[in-house]
Amino acid sequence: MRFDFSKQTPQIYEAMLALNTAISQANPDSRLVHLTKIRVSQINGCAYCVNMHVKEAQRDGLPDMLLHLIAVWPKTSAFTARDRAALAWAETLTRLERSEVSDADYAAVHAELSEQEVAALTASVAMMNLWNRMGTGARLPV
């Protein structure tokens, strides 16, 4: 590990934990949160976060088969329309360097999720990206 941000910047770490709690409370669909946290962490290459969130998803009852297929979700029928909309939205927000967030991207997620769900999921994806950048920068061990 390069550094321990919880010890080096405890005020920031505590603020991140508090924001994480608020985001979790705003997201009623834990299945979508688990799927998107794992996918975002896969995209960002954060092994620590992938490992942690897979374990959390398993603890909450998500089937292993589903967890194994997250990396290839567009190529399987294992995911519901809501799952697919949330995963596509998470990828769009995580890969901003490739394109903007288009009206079509928003329309696709909003067709499956309410405005409140989209807003809460957006915050969750943004927070996961922050955690991934902290984890990969610090090289948190798995």
Side-chain angles (χ1 to χ4, degrees), residues 22-34 82 113-114 116-121 124:
I23 290 169
S24 293
Q25 292 169 351
N27 278 288
D29 193 336
S30 65
R31 175 187 169 104
L32 297 184
V33 172
H34 286 305
R82 283 176 60 81
L113 282 71
S114 71
Q116 188 279 331
E117 289 174 314
V118 174
L121 184 63
S124 179

Side-chain angles (χ1 to χ4, degrees), residues 76-120:
T76 177
S77 61
F79 297 93
T80 68
R82 283 176 60 81
D83 295 341
R84 298 172 86 64
L87 286 162
W89 186 245
E91 287 194 12
T92 296
L93 295 175
T94 300
R95 294 181 168 152
L96 288 176
E97 79 283 358
R98 294 187 183 175
S99 67
E100 65 179 26
V101 180
S102 70
D103 291 340
D105 294 332
Y106 176 74
V109 73
H110 192 250
E112 295 295 330
L113 282 71
S114 71
E115 226 173 85
Q116 188 279 331
E117 289 174 314
V118 174

Side-chain angles (χ1 to χ4, degrees), residues 31 34 54-64 66-67:
R31 175 187 169 104
H34 286 305
V54 165
K55 288 177 182 177
E56 289 175 355
Q58 288 171 322
R59 209 172 33 245
D60 284 350
L62 266 71
D64 285 342
L66 203 64
L67 300 175

Side-chain angles (χ1 to χ4, degrees), residues 9-28:
T9 56
Q11 10 7 0
I12 294 171
Y13 182 72
E14 291 300 321
M16 287 172 62
L17 288 176
L19 182 55
N20 209 58
T21 299
I23 290 169
S24 293
Q25 292 169 351
N27 278 288

